[in-house]
Amino acid sequence: MKVLRALLPLAFLGLCAYGLLRISLQGESVEREARPADQSLAQPLYIAHQATWVRYGEDHLPQLRAQAERIDYYEDHSMKLTQVRLDRLGAQNGPWQASAPQGYVPPGESRMRLQPDVVVKGMAPKSLPTEINAREVWVDWQSQQLYSRSPVRAKAPGRSASAQSWTSDFAGNHVQLNGQVEMHYDAPPR
Amino acid sequence: PKHENKSAQTAAELRPSGPVTVKADHAEWVQDSTMKYSGHVSLQSDTLNLSGETMDVKQLADGNFEALITGAPAVLDHLPQPGASGPTAQPVHAEARQLSYASGSGTVTLIGQAHLKRGSDEVHGATIGYEVQQRRVRAAGDDQGQVTIIFTPPPPKQNEAGKSDEKKAPAAEAKP
């Protein structure tokens, strides 16, 4: 009887272990052999060096072009880019060009997050050549916008600005600065 | 007055020399180098401060700019000239429905129910022009009304006994 009482907890532990394994395995099988998320990120499907990535729209025209020193492409369709430069934004090839040390396209999303420090240069139509600096910029080919929800600094001939956030359409027709906007115009000439 | 006969300083020399700072909640870059500002807008240039609810600032090719401020009201505050005496030593405060400021000419035009106050003097009119550097006021009425200017004469001079000189004038004049 004593032996039986001693074995009971062991039997119970065994049953639990078997149950857990079944779920995670199942989980594994349901995800059809997909490795746990962090492991799938560590193992890209493809790695391309000195690569150009072009995104085409339904009209088969290039919407976005990114050139990078390295592109890691993952099974969940996410992508990591190193030393990335976007030199074509929008089918009409808008005025902006963006560059950053890192780029990341989250799984299943139609936008790329550029991270520090990001430099966006361009000259909107009938406007001034402008440079925008930010810690993080999103480039969204769905909404055809670039935007930063973190503080930005912008400069153009004769003026410089800072704000809490910034948004511009690919075409450069609507450039907005929001939150504690401060614009400094150089002193008018004597 | 003496300060106006200073050496012939052209408007260009008198124009604001410092950079101009504009603050607002939002700004939109519109084409032709025009910026539209909205929400608690202010423009500061040297001792001049303009504020209101919206402001359009158009930068001209020569580096000058034109600013149109609207508000309920739009407000102009011009701090006294440091170290000056006479009218320029007095702050100017003005309000109107709109302020139009041209840095090239250095003038602010107050448009719509405009009134300006400097010390105890007041000017009311449909439009008031204010030359920033010379601190000179030009006012114009419209078909609804005229210009009203209220000048408050300076208080009579006090003598040692602290009494107003008006009563003793003949004696004061008699002394020399």
Side-chain angles (χ1 to χ4, degrees), chain B residues 127-165:
Chain B
T127 307
I128 297 177
Y130 178 64
E131 288 164 17
V132 176
Q133 288 321 115
Q134 294 94 328
R135 294 171 181 258
R136 199 164 27 220
V137 178
R138 283 178 286 102
D142 60 11
D143 36 16
Q144 267 87 42
Q146 292 159 328
V147 175
T148 312
I149 300 180
I150 305 162
F151 279 116
T152 310
K157 283 206 192 69
Q158 303 292 330
N159 59 19
E160 296 83 37
K163 291 196 187 67
S164 139
D165 266 5

PDB file of all heavy atoms in Angstrom, chain B residues 127-165:
ATOM      1  N   THR B 127      -9.005 100.040 -39.788  1.00  0.00           N
ATOM      2  CA  THR B 127      -7.665  99.544 -40.132  1.00  0.00           C
ATOM      3  C   THR B 127      -6.637 100.435 -39.453  1.00  0.00           C
ATOM      4  O   THR B 127      -6.795 101.658 -39.449  1.00  0.00           O
ATOM      5  CB  THR B 127      -7.452  99.628 -41.673  1.00  0.00           C
ATOM      6  OG1 THR B 127      -8.530  98.963 -42.300  1.00  0.00           O
ATOM      7  CG2 THR B 127      -6.128  98.986 -42.074  1.00  0.00           C
ATOM      8  N   ILE B 128      -5.640  99.826 -38.905  1.00  0.00           N
ATOM      9  CA  ILE B 128      -4.544 100.599 -38.312  1.00  0.00           C
ATOM     10  C   ILE B 128      -3.240 100.050 -38.870  1.00  0.00           C
ATOM     11  O   ILE B 128      -3.038  98.834 -38.909  1.00  0.00           O
ATOM     12  CB  ILE B 128      -4.533 100.481 -36.771  1.00  0.00           C
ATOM     13  CG1 ILE B 128      -5.814 101.078 -36.172  1.00  0.00           C
ATOM     14  CG2 ILE B 128      -3.297 101.149 -36.177  1.00  0.00           C
ATOM     15  CD1 ILE B 128      -5.920 100.936 -34.661  1.00  0.00           C
ATOM     16  N   GLY B 129      -2.411 100.946 -39.334  1.00  0.00           N
ATOM     17  CA  GLY B 129      -1.083 100.536 -39.804  1.00  0.00           C
ATOM     18  C   GLY B 129      -0.069 100.869 -38.734  1.00  0.00           C
ATOM     19  O   GLY B 129      -0.168 101.919 -38.083  1.00  0.00           O
ATOM     20  N   TYR B 130       0.853  99.961 -38.505  1.00  0.00           N
ATOM     21  CA  TYR B 130       1.838 100.195 -37.435  1.00  0.00           C
ATOM     22  C   TYR B 130       3.215  99.902 -38.005  1.00  0.00           C
ATOM     23  O   TYR B 130       3.496  98.780 -38.466  1.00  0.00           O
ATOM     24  CB  TYR B 130       1.550  99.272 -36.248  1.00  0.00           C
ATOM     25  CG  TYR B 130       2.534  99.390 -35.113  1.00  0.00           C
ATOM     26  CD1 TYR B 130       2.647 100.569 -34.396  1.00  0.00           C
ATOM     27  CD2 TYR B 130       3.365  98.331 -34.773  1.00  0.00           C
ATOM     28  CE1 TYR B 130       3.550 100.695 -33.345  1.00  0.00           C
ATOM     29  CE2 TYR B 130       4.279  98.436 -33.730  1.00  0.00           C
ATOM     30  CZ  TYR B 130       4.363  99.619 -33.021  1.00  0.00           C
ATOM     31  OH  TYR B 130       5.270  99.730 -31.991  1.00  0.00           O
ATOM     32  N   GLU B 131       4.046 100.948 -38.054  1.00  0.00           N
ATOM     33  CA  GLU B 131       5.414 100.769 -38.549  1.00  0.00           C
ATOM     34  C   GLU B 131       6.265 100.323 -37.374  1.00  0.00           C
ATOM     35  O   GLU B 131       6.487 101.087 -36.440  1.00  0.00           O
ATOM     36  CB  GLU B 131       5.915 102.067 -39.184  1.00  0.00           C
ATOM     37  CG  GLU B 131       5.217 102.330 -40.505  1.00  0.00           C
ATOM     38  CD  GLU B 131       5.400 103.773 -40.966  1.00  0.00           C
ATOM     39  OE1 GLU B 131       6.315 104.438 -40.432  1.00  0.00           O
ATOM     40  OE2 GLU B 131       4.611 104.222 -41.806  1.00  0.00           O
ATOM     41  N   VAL B 132       6.717  99.076 -37.441  1.00  0.00           N
ATOM     42  CA  VAL B 132       7.277  98.421 -36.265  1.00  0.00           C
ATOM     43  C   VAL B 132       8.486  99.165 -35.741  1.00  0.00           C
ATOM     44  O   VAL B 132       8.565  99.535 -34.581  1.00  0.00           O
ATOM     45  CB  VAL B 132       7.639  96.950 -36.612  1.00  0.00           C
ATOM     46  CG1 VAL B 132       8.308  96.282 -35.426  1.00  0.00           C
ATOM     47  CG2 VAL B 132       6.392  96.188 -37.034  1.00  0.00           C
ATOM     48  N   GLN B 133       9.436  99.429 -36.612  1.00  0.00           N
ATOM     49  CA  GLN B 133      10.686  99.973 -36.083  1.00  0.00           C
ATOM     50  C   GLN B 133      10.522 101.407 -35.611  1.00  0.00           C
ATOM     51  O   GLN B 133      10.992 101.783 -34.568  1.00  0.00           O
ATOM     52  CB  GLN B 133      11.790  99.882 -37.141  1.00  0.00           C
ATOM     53  CG  GLN B 133      12.280  98.461 -37.385  1.00  0.00           C
ATOM     54  CD  GLN B 133      12.404  97.606 -36.135  1.00  0.00           C
ATOM     55  OE1 GLN B 133      11.682  96.627 -35.992  1.00  0.00           O
ATOM     56  NE2 GLN B 133      13.273  97.968 -35.218  1.00  0.00           N
ATOM     57  N   GLN B 134       9.789 102.227 -36.404  1.00  0.00           N
ATOM     58  CA  GLN B 134       9.624 103.628 -35.977  1.00  0.00           C
ATOM     59  C   GLN B 134       8.527 103.736 -34.923  1.00  0.00           C
ATOM     60  O   GLN B 134       8.311 104.798 -34.352  1.00  0.00           O
ATOM     61  CB  GLN B 134       9.258 104.532 -37.177  1.00  0.00           C
ATOM     62  CG  GLN B 134      10.363 104.641 -38.209  1.00  0.00           C
ATOM     63  CD  GLN B 134      10.168 103.612 -39.301  1.00  0.00           C
ATOM     64  OE1 GLN B 134       9.659 102.523 -39.028  1.00  0.00           O
ATOM     65  NE2 GLN B 134      10.574 103.901 -40.511  1.00  0.00           N
ATOM     66  N   ARG B 135       7.794 102.652 -34.715  1.00  0.00           N
ATOM     67  CA  ARG B 135       6.664 102.626 -33.759  1.00  0.00           C
ATOM     68  C   ARG B 135       5.663 103.737 -34.098  1.00  0.00           C
ATOM     69  O   ARG B 135       5.116 104.396 -33.209  1.00  0.00           O
ATOM     70  CB  ARG B 135       7.183 102.781 -32.326  1.00  0.00           C
ATOM     71  CG  ARG B 135       8.026 101.590 -31.895  1.00  0.00           C
ATOM     72  CD  ARG B 135       8.740 101.777 -30.598  1.00  0.00           C
ATOM     73  NE  ARG B 135       9.531 100.588 -30.307  1.00  0.00           N
ATOM     74  CZ  ARG B 135       9.162  99.634 -29.434  1.00  0.00           C
ATOM     75  NH1 ARG B 135       8.038  99.745 -28.791  1.00  0.00           N
ATOM     76  NH2 ARG B 135       9.927  98.568 -29.229  1.00  0.00           N
ATOM     77  N   ARG B 136       5.437 103.909 -35.388  1.00  0.00           N
ATOM     78  CA  ARG B 136       4.547 104.986 -35.833  1.00  0.00           C
ATOM     79  C   ARG B 136       3.188 104.379 -36.211  1.00  0.00           C
ATOM     80  O   ARG B 136       3.135 103.289 -36.772  1.00  0.00           O
ATOM     81  CB  ARG B 136       5.168 105.673 -37.054  1.00  0.00           C
ATOM     82  CG  ARG B 136       4.607 107.040 -37.320  1.00  0.00           C
ATOM     83  CD  ARG B 136       5.448 107.885 -38.265  1.00  0.00           C
ATOM     84  NE  ARG B 136       6.257 107.147 -39.202  1.00  0.00           N
ATOM     85  CZ  ARG B 136       7.514 107.518 -39.509  1.00  0.00           C
ATOM     86  NH1 ARG B 136       8.060 108.546 -38.914  1.00  0.00           N
ATOM     87  NH2 ARG B 136       8.216 106.829 -40.387  1.00  0.00           N
ATOM     88  N   VAL B 137       2.124 105.095 -35.902  1.00  0.00           N
ATOM     89  CA  VAL B 137       0.762 104.574 -36.100  1.00  0.00           C
ATOM     90  C   VAL B 137       0.063 105.361 -37.205  1.00  0.00           C
ATOM     91  O   VAL B 137       0.150 106.588 -37.245  1.00  0.00           O
ATOM     92  CB  VAL B 137      -0.054 104.714 -34.790  1.00  0.00           C
ATOM     93  CG1 VAL B 137      -1.476 104.228 -35.000  1.00  0.00           C
ATOM     94  CG2 VAL B 137       0.632 103.953 -33.664  1.00  0.00           C
ATOM     95  N   ARG B 138      -0.595 104.654 -38.124  1.00  0.00           N
ATOM     96  CA  ARG B 138      -1.442 105.305 -39.146  1.00  0.00           C
ATOM     97  C   ARG B 138      -2.800 104.614 -39.030  1.00  0.00           C
ATOM     98  O   ARG B 138      -2.870 103.400 -39.030  1.00  0.00           O
ATOM     99  CB  ARG B 138      -0.889 105.057 -40.562  1.00  0.00           C
ATOM    100  CG  ARG B 138       0.320 105.901 -40.925  1.00  0.00           C
ATOM    101  CD  ARG B 138       0.836 105.563 -42.307  1.00  0.00           C
ATOM    102  NE  ARG B 138       1.532 104.279 -42.333  1.00  0.00           N
ATOM    103  CZ  ARG B 138       1.022 103.143 -42.796  1.00  0.00           C
ATOM    104  NH1 ARG B 138      -0.200 103.105 -43.273  1.00  0.00           N
ATOM    105  NH2 ARG B 138       1.731 102.012 -42.759  1.00  0.00           N
ATOM    106  N   ALA B 139      -3.859 105.381 -38.914  1.00  0.00           N
ATOM    107  CA  ALA B 139      -5.168 104.739 -38.734  1.00  0.00           C
ATOM    108  C   ALA B 139      -6.123 105.195 -39.823  1.00  0.00           C
ATOM    109  O   ALA B 139      -5.999 106.300 -40.355  1.00  0.00           O
ATOM    110  CB  ALA B 139      -5.721 105.114 -37.367  1.00  0.00           C
ATOM    111  N   ALA B 140      -7.048 104.321 -40.167  1.00  0.00           N
ATOM    112  CA  ALA B 140      -8.019 104.695 -41.214  1.00  0.00           C
ATOM    113  C   ALA B 140      -9.374 104.150 -40.808  1.00  0.00           C
ATOM    114  O   ALA B 140      -9.482 103.047 -40.280  1.00  0.00           O
ATOM    115  CB  ALA B 140      -7.597 104.087 -42.554  1.00  0.00           C
ATOM    116  N   GLY B 141     -10.391 104.937 -41.016  1.00  0.00           N
ATOM    117  CA  GLY B 141     -11.763 104.480 -40.717  1.00  0.00           C
ATOM    118  C   GLY B 141     -12.314 103.814 -41.941  1.00  0.00           C
ATOM    119  O   GLY B 141     -11.603 103.534 -42.906  1.00  0.00           O
ATOM    120  N   ASP B 142     -13.594 103.532 -41.936  1.00  0.00           N
ATOM    121  CA  ASP B 142     -14.234 103.032 -43.164  1.00  0.00           C
ATOM    122  C   ASP B 142     -15.619 103.660 -43.234  1.00  0.00           C
ATOM    123  O   ASP B 142     -15.956 104.522 -42.411  1.00  0.00           O
ATOM    124  CB  ASP B 142     -14.296 101.501 -43.137  1.00  0.00           C
ATOM    125  CG  ASP B 142     -15.098 101.016 -41.922  1.00  0.00           C
ATOM    126  OD1 ASP B 142     -15.747 101.879 -41.264  1.00  0.00           O
ATOM    127  OD2 ASP B 142     -15.076  99.830 -41.614  1.00  0.00           O
ATOM    128  N   ASP B 143     -16.446 103.245 -44.217  1.00  0.00           N
ATOM    129  CA  ASP B 143     -17.700 103.970 -44.391  1.00  0.00           C
ATOM    130  C   ASP B 143     -18.610 103.826 -43.167  1.00  0.00           C
ATOM    131  O   ASP B 143     -19.489 104.616 -42.928  1.00  0.00           O
ATOM    132  CB  ASP B 143     -18.436 103.499 -45.660  1.00  0.00           C
ATOM    133  CG  ASP B 143     -18.234 102.005 -45.856  1.00  0.00           C
ATOM    134  OD1 ASP B 143     -17.804 101.374 -44.855  1.00  0.00           O
ATOM    135  OD2 ASP B 143     -18.435 101.485 -46.944  1.00  0.00           O
ATOM    136  N   GLN B 144     -18.361 102.766 -42.326  1.00  0.00           N
ATOM    137  CA  GLN B 144     -19.212 102.667 -41.122  1.00  0.00           C
ATOM    138  C   GLN B 144     -18.763 103.628 -40.034  1.00  0.00           C
ATOM    139  O   GLN B 144     -19.507 104.010 -39.181  1.00  0.00           O
ATOM    140  CB  GLN B 144     -19.177 101.247 -40.546  1.00  0.00           C
ATOM    141  CG  GLN B 144     -20.295 100.355 -41.062  1.00  0.00           C
ATOM    142  CD  GLN B 144     -19.865  99.680 -42.356  1.00  0.00           C
ATOM    143  OE1 GLN B 144     -18.720  99.231 -42.445  1.00  0.00           O
ATOM    144  NE2 GLN B 144     -20.717  99.689 -43.361  1.00  0.00           N
ATOM    145  N   GLY B 145     -17.511 103.985 -40.013  1.00  0.00           N
ATOM    146  CA  GLY B 145     -17.107 104.781 -38.849  1.00  0.00           C
ATOM    147  C   GLY B 145     -15.793 105.476 -39.078  1.00  0.00           C
ATOM    148  O   GLY B 145     -15.099 105.236 -40.076  1.00  0.00           O
ATOM    149  N   GLN B 146     -15.454 106.368 -38.173  1.00  0.00           N
ATOM    150  CA  GLN B 146     -14.220 107.124 -38.325  1.00  0.00           C
ATOM    151  C   GLN B 146     -13.157 106.520 -37.415  1.00  0.00           C
ATOM    152  O   GLN B 146     -13.360 105.537 -36.741  1.00  0.00           O
ATOM    153  CB  GLN B 146     -14.491 108.589 -37.926  1.00  0.00           C
ATOM    154  CG  GLN B 146     -15.409 109.287 -38.883  1.00  0.00           C
ATOM    155  CD  GLN B 146     -16.038 110.487 -38.232  1.00  0.00           C
ATOM    156  OE1 GLN B 146     -16.267 110.467 -37.015  1.00  0.00           O
ATOM    157  NE2 GLN B 146     -16.304 111.513 -39.009  1.00  0.00           N
ATOM    158  N   VAL B 147     -12.045 107.201 -37.436  1.00  0.00           N
ATOM    159  CA  VAL B 147     -10.962 106.812 -36.531  1.00  0.00           C
ATOM    160  C   VAL B 147     -11.161 107.569 -35.226  1.00  0.00           C
ATOM    161  O   VAL B 147     -11.567 108.733 -35.239  1.00  0.00           O
ATOM    162  CB  VAL B 147      -9.603 107.219 -37.149  1.00  0.00           C
ATOM    163  CG1 VAL B 147      -8.478 106.925 -36.161  1.00  0.00           C
ATOM    164  CG2 VAL B 147      -9.388 106.481 -38.459  1.00  0.00           C
ATOM    165  N   THR B 148     -10.950 106.918 -34.120  1.00  0.00           N
ATOM    166  CA  THR B 148     -11.009 107.595 -32.827  1.00  0.00           C
ATOM    167  C   THR B 148      -9.626 107.529 -32.210  1.00  0.00           C
ATOM    168  O   THR B 148      -9.040 106.449 -32.132  1.00  0.00           O
ATOM    169  CB  THR B 148     -11.999 106.863 -31.890  1.00  0.00           C
ATOM    170  OG1 THR B 148     -13.200 106.641 -32.608  1.00  0.00           O
ATOM    171  CG2 THR B 148     -12.227 107.641 -30.616  1.00  0.00           C
ATOM    172  N   ILE B 149      -9.104 108.693 -31.873  1.00  0.00           N
ATOM    173  CA  ILE B 149      -7.785 108.720 -31.224  1.00  0.00           C
ATOM    174  C   ILE B 149      -7.951 109.401 -29.881  1.00  0.00           C
ATOM    175  O   ILE B 149      -8.528 110.483 -29.811  1.00  0.00           O
ATOM    176  CB  ILE B 149      -6.769 109.496 -32.090  1.00  0.00           C
ATOM    177  CG1 ILE B 149      -6.631 108.809 -33.466  1.00  0.00           C
ATOM    178  CG2 ILE B 149      -5.410 109.569 -31.391  1.00  0.00           C
ATOM    179  CD1 ILE B 149      -5.665 109.479 -34.397  1.00  0.00           C
ATOM    180  N   ILE B 150      -7.521 108.756 -28.868  1.00  0.00           N
ATOM    181  CA  ILE B 150      -7.656 109.315 -27.522  1.00  0.00           C
ATOM    182  C   ILE B 150      -6.252 109.564 -26.999  1.00  0.00           C
ATOM    183  O   ILE B 150      -5.467 108.623 -26.815  1.00  0.00           O
ATOM    184  CB  ILE B 150      -8.375 108.325 -26.575  1.00  0.00           C
ATOM    185  CG1 ILE B 150      -9.734 107.927 -27.172  1.00  0.00           C
ATOM    186  CG2 ILE B 150      -8.527 108.922 -25.182  1.00  0.00           C
ATOM    187  CD1 ILE B 150     -10.316 106.668 -26.565  1.00  0.00           C
ATOM    188  N   PHE B 151      -5.939 110.863 -26.884  1.00  0.00           N
ATOM    189  CA  PHE B 151      -4.623 111.205 -26.328  1.00  0.00           C
ATOM    190  C   PHE B 151      -4.835 111.667 -24.892  1.00  0.00           C
ATOM    191  O   PHE B 151      -5.708 112.483 -24.627  1.00  0.00           O
ATOM    192  CB  PHE B 151      -3.973 112.371 -27.107  1.00  0.00           C
ATOM    193  CG  PHE B 151      -3.327 111.915 -28.368  1.00  0.00           C
ATOM    194  CD1 PHE B 151      -3.777 112.342 -29.607  1.00  0.00           C
ATOM    195  CD2 PHE B 151      -2.287 110.999 -28.325  1.00  0.00           C
ATOM    196  CE1 PHE B 151      -3.181 111.892 -30.775  1.00  0.00           C
ATOM    197  CE2 PHE B 151      -1.695 110.542 -29.497  1.00  0.00           C
ATOM    198  CZ  PHE B 151      -2.147 110.991 -30.708  1.00  0.00           C
ATOM    199  N   THR B 152      -4.115 111.119 -23.990  1.00  0.00           N
ATOM    200  CA  THR B 152      -4.209 111.584 -22.609  1.00  0.00           C
ATOM    201  C   THR B 152      -3.003 112.479 -22.350  1.00  0.00           C
ATOM    202  O   THR B 152      -1.868 112.016 -22.492  1.00  0.00           O
ATOM    203  CB  THR B 152      -4.182 110.372 -21.657  1.00  0.00           C
ATOM    204  OG1 THR B 152      -5.152 109.435 -22.131  1.00  0.00           O
ATOM    205  CG2 THR B 152      -4.474 110.776 -20.231  1.00  0.00           C
ATOM    206  N   PRO B 153      -3.268 113.755 -22.124  1.00  0.00           N
ATOM    207  CA  PRO B 153      -2.133 114.677 -21.910  1.00  0.00           C
ATOM    208  C   PRO B 153      -1.305 114.207 -20.728  1.00  0.00           C
ATOM    209  O   PRO B 153      -1.854 113.629 -19.774  1.00  0.00           O
ATOM    210  CB  PRO B 153      -2.793 116.022 -21.653  1.00  0.00           C
ATOM    211  CG  PRO B 153      -4.191 115.707 -21.248  1.00  0.00           C
ATOM    212  CD  PRO B 153      -4.539 114.402 -21.897  1.00  0.00           C
ATOM    213  N   PRO B 154       0.012 114.415 -20.793  1.00  0.00           N
ATOM    214  CA  PRO B 154       0.862 114.005 -19.663  1.00  0.00           C
ATOM    215  C   PRO B 154       0.434 114.771 -18.416  1.00  0.00           C
ATOM    216  O   PRO B 154      -0.045 115.906 -18.525  1.00  0.00           O
ATOM    217  CB  PRO B 154       2.268 114.382 -20.106  1.00  0.00           C
ATOM    218  CG  PRO B 154       2.092 115.379 -21.197  1.00  0.00           C
ATOM    219  CD  PRO B 154       0.777 115.092 -21.836  1.00  0.00           C
ATOM    220  N   PRO B 155       0.528 114.159 -17.235  1.00  0.00           N
ATOM    221  CA  PRO B 155       0.146 114.852 -15.983  1.00  0.00           C
ATOM    222  C   PRO B 155       0.977 116.121 -15.824  1.00  0.00           C
ATOM    223  O   PRO B 155       2.115 116.180 -16.285  1.00  0.00           O
ATOM    224  CB  PRO B 155       0.474 113.839 -14.890  1.00  0.00           C
ATOM    225  CG  PRO B 155       1.434 112.881 -15.506  1.00  0.00           C
ATOM    226  CD  PRO B 155       1.139 112.859 -16.963  1.00  0.00           C
ATOM    227  N   PRO B 156       0.322 117.223 -15.215  1.00  0.00           N
ATOM    228  CA  PRO B 156       1.075 118.485 -15.004  1.00  0.00           C
ATOM    229  C   PRO B 156       2.325 118.201 -14.200  1.00  0.00           C
ATOM    230  O   PRO B 156       2.329 117.337 -13.313  1.00  0.00           O
ATOM    231  CB  PRO B 156       0.095 119.376 -14.244  1.00  0.00           C
ATOM    232  CG  PRO B 156      -0.946 118.451 -13.704  1.00  0.00           C
ATOM    233  CD  PRO B 156      -0.990 117.274 -14.626  1.00  0.00           C
ATOM    234  N   LYS B 157       3.421 119.014 -14.497  1.00  0.00           N
ATOM    235  CA  LYS B 157       4.700 118.788 -13.794  1.00  0.00           C
ATOM    236  C   LYS B 157       4.501 119.149 -12.324  1.00  0.00           C
ATOM    237  O   LYS B 157       3.810 120.104 -11.995  1.00  0.00           O
ATOM    238  CB  LYS B 157       5.790 119.679 -14.393  1.00  0.00           C
ATOM    239  CG  LYS B 157       6.311 119.156 -15.717  1.00  0.00           C
ATOM    240  CD  LYS B 157       7.760 119.651 -15.954  1.00  0.00           C
ATOM    241  CE  LYS B 157       8.120 119.346 -17.396  1.00  0.00           C
ATOM    242  NZ  LYS B 157       7.313 120.215 -18.317  1.00  0.00           N
ATOM    243  N   GLN B 158       5.118 118.381 -11.368  1.00  0.00           N
ATOM    244  CA  GLN B 158       5.079 118.673  -9.925  1.00  0.00           C
ATOM    245  C   GLN B 158       6.307 119.514  -9.556  1.00  0.00           C
ATOM    246  O   GLN B 158       7.372 119.265 -10.076  1.00  0.00           O
ATOM    247  CB  GLN B 158       5.168 117.344  -9.148  1.00  0.00           C
ATOM    248  CG  GLN B 158       4.071 116.329  -9.491  1.00  0.00           C
ATOM    249  CD  GLN B 158       2.703 116.788  -9.029  1.00  0.00           C
ATOM    250  OE1 GLN B 158       2.598 117.506  -8.029  1.00  0.00           O
ATOM    251  NE2 GLN B 158       1.659 116.450  -9.776  1.00  0.00           N
ATOM    252  N   ASN B 159       6.129 120.559  -8.632  1.00  0.00           N
ATOM    253  CA  ASN B 159       7.350 121.265  -8.165  1.00  0.00           C
ATOM    254  C   ASN B 159       7.784 120.642  -6.841  1.00  0.00           C
ATOM    255  O   ASN B 159       7.184 119.675  -6.404  1.00  0.00           O
ATOM    256  CB  ASN B 159       7.071 122.758  -7.994  1.00  0.00           C
ATOM    257  CG  ASN B 159       5.929 122.920  -6.977  1.00  0.00           C
ATOM    258  OD1 ASN B 159       5.649 121.996  -6.208  1.00  0.00           O
ATOM    259  ND2 ASN B 159       5.243 124.049  -7.029  1.00  0.00           N
ATOM    260  N   GLU B 160       8.846 121.270  -6.125  1.00  0.00           N
ATOM    261  CA  GLU B 160       9.343 120.651  -4.895  1.00  0.00           C
ATOM    262  C   GLU B 160       8.199 120.488  -3.890  1.00  0.00           C
ATOM    263  O   GLU B 160       8.090 119.469  -3.230  1.00  0.00           O
ATOM    264  CB  GLU B 160      10.442 121.510  -4.237  1.00  0.00           C
ATOM    265  CG  GLU B 160      11.719 121.659  -5.073  1.00  0.00           C
ATOM    266  CD  GLU B 160      11.497 122.783  -6.071  1.00  0.00           C
ATOM    267  OE1 GLU B 160      10.837 123.762  -5.666  1.00  0.00           O
ATOM    268  OE2 GLU B 160      11.886 122.619  -7.237  1.00  0.00           O
ATOM    269  N   ALA B 161       7.323 121.455  -3.777  1.00  0.00           N
ATOM    270  CA  ALA B 161       6.278 121.387  -2.729  1.00  0.00           C
ATOM    271  C   ALA B 161       5.255 120.330  -3.120  1.00  0.00           C
ATOM    272  O   ALA B 161       4.327 120.069  -2.389  1.00  0.00           O
ATOM    273  CB  ALA B 161       5.603 122.741  -2.608  1.00  0.00           C
ATOM    274  N   GLY B 162       5.461 119.701  -4.259  1.00  0.00           N
ATOM    275  CA  GLY B 162       4.547 118.608  -4.629  1.00  0.00           C
ATOM    276  C   GLY B 162       3.242 119.155  -5.167  1.00  0.00           C
ATOM    277  O   GLY B 162       2.336 118.435  -5.480  1.00  0.00           O
ATOM    278  N   LYS B 163       3.148 120.495  -5.340  1.00  0.00           N
ATOM    279  CA  LYS B 163       1.863 120.986  -5.870  1.00  0.00           C
ATOM    280  C   LYS B 163       2.002 121.165  -7.365  1.00  0.00           C
ATOM    281  O   LYS B 163       3.108 121.421  -7.878  1.00  0.00           O
ATOM    282  CB  LYS B 163       1.518 122.350  -5.202  1.00  0.00           C
ATOM    283  CG  LYS B 163       1.182 122.215  -3.698  1.00  0.00           C
ATOM    284  CD  LYS B 163       0.459 123.517  -3.225  1.00  0.00           C
ATOM    285  CE  LYS B 163       0.284 123.472  -1.695  1.00  0.00           C
ATOM    286  NZ  LYS B 163       1.626 123.548  -1.005  1.00  0.00           N
ATOM    287  N   SER B 164       0.813 121.063  -7.986  1.00  0.00           N
ATOM    288  CA  SER B 164       0.843 121.221  -9.443  1.00  0.00           C
ATOM    289  C   SER B 164       1.268 122.629  -9.788  1.00  0.00           C
ATOM    290  O   SER B 164       0.934 123.577  -9.080  1.00  0.00           O
ATOM    291  CB  SER B 164      -0.581 120.962  -9.957  1.00  0.00           C
ATOM    292  OG  SER B 164      -0.875 121.889 -10.962  1.00  0.00           O
ATOM    293  N   ASP B 165       2.062 122.787 -10.827  1.00  0.00           N
ATOM    294  CA  ASP B 165       2.611 124.096 -11.202  1.00  0.00           C
ATOM    295  C   ASP B 165       1.561 125.004 -11.811  1.00  0.00           C
ATOM    296  O   ASP B 165       1.791 126.176 -11.961  1.00  0.00           O
ATOM    297  CB  ASP B 165       3.692 123.862 -12.302  1.00  0.00           C
ATOM    298  CG  ASP B 165       5.035 123.766 -11.583  1.00  0.00           C
ATOM    299  OD1 ASP B 165       4.977 123.786 -10.330  1.00  0.00           O
ATOM    300  OD2 ASP B 165       6.068 123.620 -12.228  1.00  0.00           O
TER     301      ASP B 165
END
